[in-house]
């Protein structure tokens, strides 16, 4: 499984978009939920986090290997995303929120013109030496 299918970064607009088509045979639908399959909220969040991380990495003034979820302030699933549908998540950095290797982002995901998910979260920058060691520096 590849999550998301596509990520597009628009550096001029300071935004990124990730999309995920929910296939009918996707393994994550097996237990979520039998008889009424839907995309799990955690995977909706994952699309948002990966889009935001791609944006931050592209705009970073100092090189970084990527970014990971550090804190989730809000995840609101407002619509089911079912097999055959495509979730499109738009992520943007919240200006003035960079602090101690972290930055806040807001994301909204939709199916067509219907909002499916909203999220607000902080990412933590991953430096090249941290990603190659497989652990967290100083922890």
């Amino acid at each position: 499984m590849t999550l998301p299918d596509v990520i597009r970064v628009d550096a001029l607009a300071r935004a990124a978009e990730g999309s995920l088509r929910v296939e009918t045979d996707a393994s994550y639908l097996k237990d979520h939920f039998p008889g009424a399959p839907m995309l799990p909220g955690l995977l909706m969040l994952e699309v948002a986090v990966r889009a935001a991380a791609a944006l931050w990495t592209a705009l970073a003034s100092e090189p970084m290997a990527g970014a990971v979820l550090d804190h989730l302030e809000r995840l609101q699933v407002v619509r089911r995303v079912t097999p055959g549908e495509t979730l499109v998540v738009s992520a943007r950095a919240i200006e003035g929120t960079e602090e101690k290797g972290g930055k806040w982002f807001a994301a909204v995901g939709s199916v067509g013109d219907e909002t499916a998910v909203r999220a607000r979260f902080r990412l933590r920058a991953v430096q090249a030496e941290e990603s190659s060691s497989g652990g967290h520096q100083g922890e």
Side-chain angles (χ1 to χ4, degrees):
M1 168 176 61
T2 302
L3 252 175
D5 297 326
V6 176
I7 295 177
R8 291 182 192 88
V9 174
D10 184 340
L12 292 175
R14 303 183 68 79
E17 183 177 279
S19 65
L20 176 65
R21 178 164 173 77
V22 180
E23 299 297 340
T24 56
D25 61 349
S27 62
Y28 52 78
L29 295 176
K30 181 181 168 190
D31 297 324
H32 204 273
F33 292 97
M38 64 181 278
L39 182 65
L42 186 60
L43 294 182
M44 294 180 191
L45 176 62
E46 183 69 19
V47 174
V49 165
R50 290 189 186 195
L55 174 62
W56 195 19
T57 300
L59 297 177
S61 57
E62 296 180 24
M64 62 184 199
V68 295
L69 182 63
D70 185 53
H71 179 81
L72 176 62
E73 181 178 275
R74 179 179 75 165
L75 177 64
Q76 181 183 25
V77 177
V78 295
R79 181 200 186 278
R80 293 168 40 102
V81 180
T82 58
E85 295 183 317
T86 298
L87 175 70
V88 178
V89 177
S90 297
R92 64 175 178 76
I94 299 173
E95 295 305 317
T97 62
E98 197 155 347
E99 55 187 40
K100 298 180 185 175
K103 187 164 185 67
W104 285 91
F105 292 84
V108 176
S110 57
V111 175
D113 61 354
E114 296 180 41
T115 298
V117 64
R118 294 181 189 96
R120 181 179 162 100
F121 51 89
R122 184 176 63 226
L123 297 182
R124 179 178 55 80
V126 176
Q127 302 308 321
E129 65 274 2
E130 186 176 348
S131 66
S132 65
S133 69
H136 300 290
Q137 295 291 322
E139 293 181 18

